């Protein structure tokens, strides 16, 4: 910081030397500030950069003096490359590396969106970085993150940057939130410098204002030869903590240059009047004065006297006619020509004259001589200047009073006031009570004040947050919350480091809920995490229920209507109903009937339908057998109705009563003999009366 201020001092010194080289003498009051620029800048580094006796905006930058500098947030920087975050922003006390933010920043800073390359980042921006800098338009008062600062017209002092506000609390010390208008006539509320009574005060220069070197138009009032004049000039910050002075040239004779040279509020008036009635006098903005001769021979008055006649213009000059020369070369006599007596010289007492001494004023004629008037009064701008009249030029000259001459700057915030470089300066009173919970300030009228604040502070306990000042003491905020949302850890805060500690050892094997469901059992903590237990067994071994598990209710076994098996082989179409399996019972006579007369049909619950062989009589469907009987589940033919027992018997039989020579015996597949109808024969049977072959009527076939 001291290096930075010293650099500013060197620059100011070079500027002052340049002014002297250009011929701007320090003898004039308007140049007094330039003479001591270098001295003032050096003094600023030895006293305080804030210069609290004036109204420079407070240094609200949080300069980090830890190992984070250079490059850390709040560290001094010259360009973006000097900062770890890549963003170097303006501040009232100079450029600082930007500090990232979310919602809020320290006092005097606002959390704003600032472009960084192709991105936009949220950082803390100094709202007062350009406060009280000279300006000509409001755009000179804005910078990245601050868009509502306005350039405010302060009258003859010039125009200076304000800072947007709603109340005095939005402004730094020695500033107040005032309703005003900017240089464009727009109504606005801005922070403006005030004195102890609340009245508007002169703006003082911040370090940033010196670097910006912005200028503003101003007017400088002075009294010259008893005449009040107002000269236009420019105001620019030259000295840290000091008001920016209005620099304006001394009034001179009016010339045709578009400038109010004599500071009387008029421009180029009579600047081109050559007091020649034979010229037409004009002043052009580009060509300057022009004195064109009047028409040749035009009438004119060479002396305003009747003692000449036929005065005419010739080659731009008024040539008198014949006249008497009555001039006695004495300004204190009135020369005239009387038509009757000729020239007369009458004492011209009381008429202004010049005694050839520029340091007297109000010289008047007396008894045809010029009597000197009183000495010209030269008033020094303050007690630290001496004033005298230059006998050669007649202008007031000013010089610094003896260095160290006791004086009073009227400010209780300085001590040991003395003259230095034409100004009354004292050593700034240090009002720091080393208590972050007080706002240390100095009132120009009363001295140091220590007002309790509610600023953030640090109570020394790393496990408390949002500590805040109250009653000039740091009051602990709420406890830091350390919660890893894990039921299987004990959460705590290390008071020394402020770090959160999450230990699982105290809760090892403690019951917990790993998955938020009752469908797992015996969930327990393991190594700081909740581990799920075995899945809940919900199978009720009933095929007529759908088994599942609900996260909130546990096992569910609702009934279903699915096909099933009731374990009874004597039922069919088994189906679930009301969580039970049942089917339609089989009818053994119908459902188990195999249409075989040689089996007894029944149903066994374990085996189902049974068809067991019987020995009942049966009918093998052959009318040529009799006494058929069941055997091994089949109907076995009985004895042949024709009585044939063997081939021999069959050959012998030819009983017309029985077979009429038509029947013959044939060995069946069962090894027995059956009565068959011979080929070509027709068997006529009376089906209603005869059921056996012995009763049949056999006839030869027709055509046999």
């Amino acid at each position: 910081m001291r290096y930075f201020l010293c650099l500013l001092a060197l620059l100011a010194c070079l500027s002052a030397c340049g002014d002297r080289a250009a011929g701007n003498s320090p003898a004039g009051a308007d140049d007094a500030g330039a003479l001591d620029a270098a001295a003032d800048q050096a003094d600023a580094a030895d006293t305080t950069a804030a210069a609290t006796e004036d109204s420079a905006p407070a240094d609200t930058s949080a300069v980090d003096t830890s190992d984070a500098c250079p490059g850390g947030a709040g560290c001094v920087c010259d360009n973006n490359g000097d900062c770890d975050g890549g963003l170097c922003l303006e501040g009232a006390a100079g450029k600082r590396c930007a500090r990232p933010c979310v919602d809020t920043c320290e006092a005097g800073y606002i959390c704003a969106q600032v472009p960084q390359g192709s991105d936009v980042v949220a950082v803390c921006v100094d709202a007062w970085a350009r406060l009280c800098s000279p300006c000509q338009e409001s755009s000179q008062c804005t910078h990245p993150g601050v868009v509502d600062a306005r350039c405010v017209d302060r009258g003859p002092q010039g125009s200076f940057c304000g800072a947007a506000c709603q109340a005095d609390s939005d402004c730094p010390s020695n500033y107040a939130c005032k309703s005003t208008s900017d240089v464009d006539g727009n109504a606005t509320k801005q922070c403006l410098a005030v004195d102890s009574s609340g009245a508007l005060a002169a703006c003082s220069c911040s370090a940033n204002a010196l670097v910006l070197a912005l200028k503003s138009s101003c007017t400088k009032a002075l009294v010259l030869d008893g005449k009040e004049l107002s000269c236009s000039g420019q105001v620019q910050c030259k000295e840290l903590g000091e008001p920016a002075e209005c620099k304006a040239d001394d009034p001179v004779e009016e010339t045709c240059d578009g400038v109010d040279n004599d500071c009387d509020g008029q421009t180029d008036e009579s600047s081109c009047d050559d007091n020649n009635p034979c010229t037409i006098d004009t002043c052009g903005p580009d060509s300057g004065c022009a004195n064109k001769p009047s028409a040749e021979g035009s009438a004119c008055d060479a002396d305003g006297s009747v003692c000449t006649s036929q005065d005419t213009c010739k080659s731009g000059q008024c040539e008198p006619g014949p006249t008497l020369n009555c001039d006695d070369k004495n300004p204190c006599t009135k020369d005239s020509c009387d038509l009757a007596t000729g020239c007369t010289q009458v004492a011209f007492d009381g008429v202004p004259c010049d005694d050839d001494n520029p340091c007297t004023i109000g010289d008047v004629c007396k008894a045809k001589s010029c009597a000197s008037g009183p000495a010209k009064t030269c008033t020094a701008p303050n007690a630290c200047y001496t004033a005298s009249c230059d006998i050669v030029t007649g202008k007031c000259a000013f010089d610094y009073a003896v260095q160290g001459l006791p004086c009073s700057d009227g400010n209780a915030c300085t001590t040991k006031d003395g003259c230095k470089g034409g100004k009354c300066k004292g050593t700034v009173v240090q009002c720091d009570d080393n208590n972050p919970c007080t706002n240390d300030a100095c009132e120009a009228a009363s001295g140091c004040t220590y007002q309790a604040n509610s600023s953030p502070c640090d109570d020394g306990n790393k496990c408390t947050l949002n500590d805040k000042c109250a009653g000039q003491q740091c009051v602990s905020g709420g406890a830091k919350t350390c919660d890893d949302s894990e039921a299987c850890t004990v959460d705590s805060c290390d008071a020394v480091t402020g770090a959160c500690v999450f230990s699982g050892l105290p809760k090892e094997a403690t019951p917990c809920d790993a998955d938020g469901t009752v469908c797992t059992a015996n969930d327990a903590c393991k190594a700081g995490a909740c581990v799920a237990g075995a899945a809940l067994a919900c199978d009720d071994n009933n095929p007529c229920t759908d088994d599942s598990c609900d996260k909130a209710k546990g096992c569910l076994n609702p009934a279903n209507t699915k096909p099933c098996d009731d374990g009874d082989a004597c039922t069919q179409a088994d189906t679930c109903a009301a969580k039970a399996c049942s089917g339609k019972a089989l009818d053994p006579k119908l459902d188990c009937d195999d249409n075989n007369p040689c089996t007894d049909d029944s149903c066994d619950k374990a085996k189902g339908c049974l068809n067991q062989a019987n020995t009942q009589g049966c009918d093998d469907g052959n009318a040529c057998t009799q006494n058929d009987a069941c055997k091994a589940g089949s109907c076995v033919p009985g004895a042949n109705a024709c009585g044939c027992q063997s081939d021999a018997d069959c050959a012998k039989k030819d009983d017309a009563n029985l077979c009429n020579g038509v029947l013959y015996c044939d060995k069946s597949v069962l090894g027995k003999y059956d009565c068959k109808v011979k080929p070509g024969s027709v068997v006529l049977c009376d089906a209603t009366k005869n059921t056996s072959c012995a009763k049949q009527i056999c006839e030869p076939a027709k055509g046999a």
Side-chain angles (χ1 to χ4, degrees):
M1 181 67 181
R2 185 175 180 86
Y3 169 80
F4 175 70
L5 294 175
C6 289
L7 179 60
L8 288 177
L10 177 59
L11 292 175
C13 181
L14 291 176
S15 175
C17 292
D19 288 343
R20 293 184 179 182
N24 296 329
S25 171
D30 296 338
D31 301 319
L35 287 173
D36 54 88
D40 285 349
Q41 297 294 348
D43 289 345
D46 294 330
T47 55
T48 65
T52 57
E53 68 271 30
D54 294 304
S55 303
D59 180 4
T60 56
S61 59
V63 179
D64 190 348
T65 57
S66 68
D67 293 339
C69 287
C75 297
V76 175
C77 59
D78 291 323
N79 52 61
N80 292 341
D82 295 340
C83 300
D84 297 339
L87 202 58
C88 181
L89 298 180
E90 289 182 31
K95 289 188 174 182
R96 297 284 187 270
C97 292
R99 185 185 306 280
C101 63
V102 176
D103 294 313
T104 59
C105 298
E106 59 268 38
Y109 280 72
I110 57 175
C111 188
Q113 300 287 332
V114 174
Q116 186 179 27
S118 59
D119 295 329
V120 175
V121 296
V123 294
C124 290
V125 176
D126 190 346
W128 307 329
R130 296 197 177 190
L131 184 58
C132 259
S133 294
C135 58
Q136 293 181 339
E137 55 188 25
S138 291
S139 62
Q140 294 176 322
C141 299
T142 62
H143 54 96
V146 175
V147 299
D148 48 6
R150 294 291 180 266
C151 184
V152 179
D153 185 2
R154 296 293 302 276
Q157 301 175 32
S159 301
F160 298 86
C161 290
C165 61
Q166 293 299 322
D168 291 349
S169 58
D170 297 334
C171 303
S173 176
N174 295 333
Y175 285 76
C177 188
K178 299 284 188 180
S179 294
T180 184
S181 297
D182 61 17
V183 292
D184 297 319
N186 300 314
T188 181
K189 293 187 74 174
Q190 300 285 307
C191 293
L192 302 180
V194 295
D195 58 21
S196 58
S197 66
L200 291 178
C203 259
S204 295
C205 298
S206 68
N208 194 38
L210 297 180
V211 175
L212 294 173
L214 297 175
K215 297 180 179 180
S216 172
S217 298
C218 63
T219 56
K220 183 176 180 181
L222 62 124
V223 177
L224 186 62
D225 296 330
K227 184 178 180 180
E228 293 184 359
L229 302 177
S230 178
C231 296
S232 299
Q234 286 189 328
V235 61
Q236 182 181 15
C237 277
K238 294 290 187 180
E239 300 178 13
L240 183 66
E242 296 290 339
E245 293 184 352
C246 183
K247 298 293 184 180
D249 294 330
D250 289 336
V252 295
E253 183 178 354
E254 192 72 35
T255 60
C256 180
D257 57 1
V259 178
D260 183 13
N261 307 102
D262 58 3
C263 300
D264 66 350
Q266 301 181 50
T267 302
D268 296 335
E269 81 284 359
S270 70
S271 59
C272 295
D273 185 6
D274 61 354
N275 297 313
N276 186 348
C278 290
T279 58
I280 300 173
D281 307 323
T282 59
C283 174
D286 298 323
S287 60
C289 285
N291 306 103
K292 184 178 180 181
S294 301
E296 200 77 2
S298 299
C300 61
D301 186 1
D303 56 2
S305 171
V306 296
C307 290
T308 60
S309 63
Q310 299 178 358
D311 300 346
T312 56
C313 291
K314 184 177 181 180
S315 300
Q317 297 294 326
C318 184
E319 292 188 358
T323 185
L324 292 175
N325 183 9
C326 298
D327 184 10
D328 64 355
K329 308 299 181 181
N330 184 353
C332 289
T333 61
K334 185 177 181 180
D335 305 326
S336 63
C337 180
D338 186 271
L339 292 176
T341 62
C343 293
T344 62
Q345 287 81 29
V346 179
F348 211 14
D349 291 351
V351 175
C353 59
D354 187 356
D355 66 350
D356 294 326
N357 183 352
C359 289
T360 59
I361 59 175
D363 302 340
V364 294
C365 290
K366 185 177 180 180
K368 296 186 178 182
S369 297
C370 186
S372 299
K376 181 178 181 179
T377 300
C378 293
T379 303
N382 58 52
C384 289
Y385 272 90
T386 60
S388 61
C389 179
D390 190 326
I391 194 65
V392 176
T393 65
K395 292 184 178 181
C396 289
F398 306 98
D399 203 354
Y400 302 147
V402 177
Q403 179 141 330
L405 181 68
C407 60
S408 175
D409 62 0
N411 189 344
C413 295
T414 60
T415 61
K416 299 179 181 179
D417 299 343
C419 290
K420 184 177 182 181
K423 293 183 179 177
C424 186
K425 297 183 178 182
T427 303
V428 176
V429 175
Q430 300 299 320
C431 294
D432 186 6
D433 62 353
N434 295 317
N435 184 353
C437 290
T438 59
N439 291 332
D440 306 332
C442 189
E443 295 291 341
S446 58
C448 291
T449 62
Y450 307 99
Q451 185 176 4
N453 61 39
S454 57
S455 302
C457 58
D458 186 359
D459 63 352
N461 186 345
K462 300 294 185 181
C463 290
T464 59
L465 301 175
N466 302 318
D467 302 337
K468 195 173 184 180
C469 292
Q472 297 190 354
Q473 293 184 343
C474 187
V475 179
S476 298
K480 179 178 181 179
T481 300
C482 291
D483 184 7
D484 61 354
S485 300
E486 177 57 67
C488 288
T489 60
V490 174
D491 307 331
S492 61
C493 176
D494 189 321
V496 176
T497 65
C500 287
V501 179
F502 308 104
S503 176
L505 185 61
K507 290 196 174 184
E508 188 71 16
T510 302
C512 60
D513 186 359
D515 48 11
T517 173
V518 297
C519 293
T520 56
N522 300 322
D523 297 355
C525 295
K526 184 176 181 180
C530 189
V531 179
L536 196 64
C538 293
D539 186 4
D540 61 354
N541 295 315
N542 184 350
C544 288
T545 59
D546 294 327
D547 307 324
S548 65
C549 186
D550 183 89
K551 289 184 177 182
K553 299 178 181 179
C555 288
L556 300 178
N557 306 99
N560 62 39
T561 57
K562 296 178 181 179
C564 58
D565 185 1
D566 62 356
D568 186 350
C570 292
T571 58
Q572 60 182 354
D574 299 345
T575 305
C576 292
K579 296 187 178 183
C581 184
S582 63
K584 182 180 178 182
L586 294 174
D587 186 347
K589 294 182 178 180
L590 296 176
D591 300 316
C592 294
D593 185 8
D594 61 353
N595 296 315
N596 185 352
C598 289
T599 58
D600 292 328
D601 304 324
S602 64
C603 185
D604 184 85
K605 287 188 175 184
K607 299 179 180 180
C609 287
L610 298 178
N611 306 102
Q612 296 176 327
N614 59 41
T615 58
Q616 297 177 1
C618 60
D619 184 2
D620 65 351
N622 187 345
C624 292
T625 59
Q626 58 184 2
N627 298 322
D628 302 337
C630 293
K631 185 177 181 181
S634 298
C635 188
V636 178
N640 194 287
C642 296
C644 299
Q645 299 296 326
S646 65
D647 290 341
D649 288 344
C650 190
K652 292 177 181 178
K653 291 289 184 183
D654 191 13
D655 187 348
N657 289 330
L658 294 175
C659 295
N660 198 23
V662 177
L663 299 177
Y664 72 99
C665 294
D666 188 16
K667 196 172 186 179
S668 71
V669 294
L670 299 176
K672 296 184 179 182
Y673 291 88
D674 295 330
C675 178
K676 301 294 185 180
V677 177
K678 288 184 178 181
S681 298
V682 178
V683 178
L684 300 176
C685 297
D686 186 355
T688 60
K689 297 180 181 180
N690 303 305
T691 58
S692 66
C693 188
K695 303 293 186 180
Q696 291 178 342
I697 301 173
C698 299
E699 292 182 348
K702 294 180 180 180

